[in-house]
């Protein structure tokens, strides 16, 4: 069996350290992925909120409005007003009858009832501050474009940490294999005979060789 020398010990220690780093990266990947899929609400259970956009904001983006399940969706949408920069163009788009909805642990089931647009023609963003009010029900608001950016960023970050951890696990396995090969090739120490020193010459009758009596030898023995 091979000897566990310094090289083997160093390789095993390096393999252990690399494995621990890989486990840490796996945990970070899980946390980043969880952050990416978590909903970041712009407003929760309010009657009024405001948000601002700049010229680089995508014209098809905006604010999605959610309320708790209600029977009269049209009445809720009718009670939503938006103060837009410049002239009002009717920035509220009704989504009654759509299947959009979110099930949350904290707020229960929320239904999407309206969308606040940031473009009067669907092609050009009107930058500035938008104020949303609701006279019929409390509402929740999400900027879905920002949510998509955070989701994609979180998933990409998690994937990067995950594949880095996989590479480290492979390196750890290689180090373990190399340490086993080094251990197998290490020379063994010579072992002394099990009974004491070697007896040189022919034992004489009555003498003791290697701790045991030796009978006299002769042509008749």
């Amino acid at each position: 069996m091979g000897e566990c020398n310094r090289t083997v010990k160093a390789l095993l220690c390096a393999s252990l350290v690399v494995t621990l780093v890989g486990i840490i990266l796996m945990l970070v990947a899980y946390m980043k992925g969880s952050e990416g899929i978590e909903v970041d609400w712009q407003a929760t259970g309010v009657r009024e909120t405001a948000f601002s956009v700049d010229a680089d904001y995508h014209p098809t983006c905006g604010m999605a409005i959610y309320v708790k399940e209600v029977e009269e969706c049209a009445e809720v949408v009718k009670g939503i007003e938006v103060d837009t920069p410049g002239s009002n163009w009717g920035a509220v788009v009704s989504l009654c009858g759509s299947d959009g909805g979110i099930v949350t642990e904290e707020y229960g089931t929320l239904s999407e009832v309206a969308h606040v647009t940031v473009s009067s023609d669907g092609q050009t963003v009107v930058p500035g501050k938008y104020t949303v009010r609701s006279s019929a029900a409390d509402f929740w608001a999400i900027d879905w474009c920002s949510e998509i950016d955070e989701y994609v960023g979180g998933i990409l970050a998690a994937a990067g940490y995950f594949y880095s951890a996989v590479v480290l696990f492979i390196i750890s396995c290689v180090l373990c294999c190399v340490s086993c090969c080094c251990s197998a090739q290490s020379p063994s120490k010579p072992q002394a005979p099990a009974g004491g020193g070697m007896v040189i010459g022919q034992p004489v009758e009555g003498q003791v060789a290697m701790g045991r009596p030796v009978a006299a030898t002769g042509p008749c023995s």
Side-chain angles (χ1 to χ4, degrees), residues 31-41 144 147 150-151:
M31 293 169 50
K32 290 293 184 181
S34 299
E35 291 176 0
I37 62 177
E38 184 178 352
V39 177
D40 185 16
W41 295 97
W144 272 119
E147 282 299 302
E150 292 180 4
Y151 174 79

Side-chain angles (χ1 to χ4, degrees), residues 55-80:
D56 296 330
Y57 197 78
H58 198 280
T60 60
C61 292
M63 196 69 64
I65 305 299
Y66 291 80
V67 299
K68 289 191 175 181
E69 292 185 357
V70 293
E71 294 181 0
E72 298 295 335
C73 176
E75 294 298 325
V76 174
V77 175
K78 191 179 296 184
I80 298 175

Side-chain angles (χ1 to χ4, degrees), residues 16 20-21 42 57 59 87 96 103 135 147 175 177 191-192 198 220:
L16 177 61
L20 292 176
V21 174
Q42 300 292 326
Y57 197 78
S87 60
C96 291
V103 178
S135 59
E147 282 299 302
L175 291 174
C177 293
Q191 297 181 356
M198 181 180 298
C220 298

Side-chain angles (χ1 to χ4, degrees), residues 27 29-30 32 52 64 74 89 106 115 137 161 172 190 204:
L27 295 176
Y30 174 78
K32 290 293 184 181
S52 300
W89 63 81
E106 187 174 0
H115 180 80
Y161 284 112
S172 175
V204 181

